[in-house]
Amino acid sequence: MSGVWRFSQGSIVAAAALLLTGLLLLTRLEDFPGWPDEYETCLLARRITQTGLPRLPLDGSWHVPIVSHWLTEGGVWIWTPWLDEYVAAASFMVFGDHLWAARLPFVCFGLASAVFVYRLAKRT
């Protein structure tokens, strides 16, 4: 029976666990309020879609508590690396400006890491 896929019982259980985890993580992804760091990421990602940089307006119009030494004189964010803001900005550009869109890429990264850990554990 060449060409027929054969799965071990462990692979089936792992696939079912991954599917269930994905369903639980993606269900009602926007139903619970965001944490302050998520709002910070969303705010900076929104500004990236507008200006290309995680730059905040210096008029104090944002509602996330930000200390002034986290910004340059031009309002560019320098406190943390920018990768998560750019990932969220890319998601905003594809799915729209929603908390769900900001969380989706990181849920996908979490699921991918679970697959990676399973495959790594299966090798040893």
Side-chain angles (χ1 to χ4, degrees), residues 20-73:
L20 179 63
T21 302
L23 288 173
L24 290 174
L25 287 173
L26 293 172
T27 303
R28 298 173 44 201
L29 191 58
E30 197 175 56
D31 283 356
F32 55 94
W35 294 90
D37 63 329
E38 287 179 311
Y39 288 123
E40 176 186 293
T41 298
C42 289
L43 175 65
L44 293 169
R46 186 175 299 127
R47 294 295 293 168
I48 287 170
T49 63
Q50 297 166 352
T51 66
L53 284 173
R55 175 178 287 146
L56 297 176
L58 297 177
D59 61 1
S61 61
W62 61 85
H63 300 288
V64 177
I66 295 176
V67 180
S68 62
H69 67 271
W70 294 356
L71 304 171
T72 65
E73 289 180 17

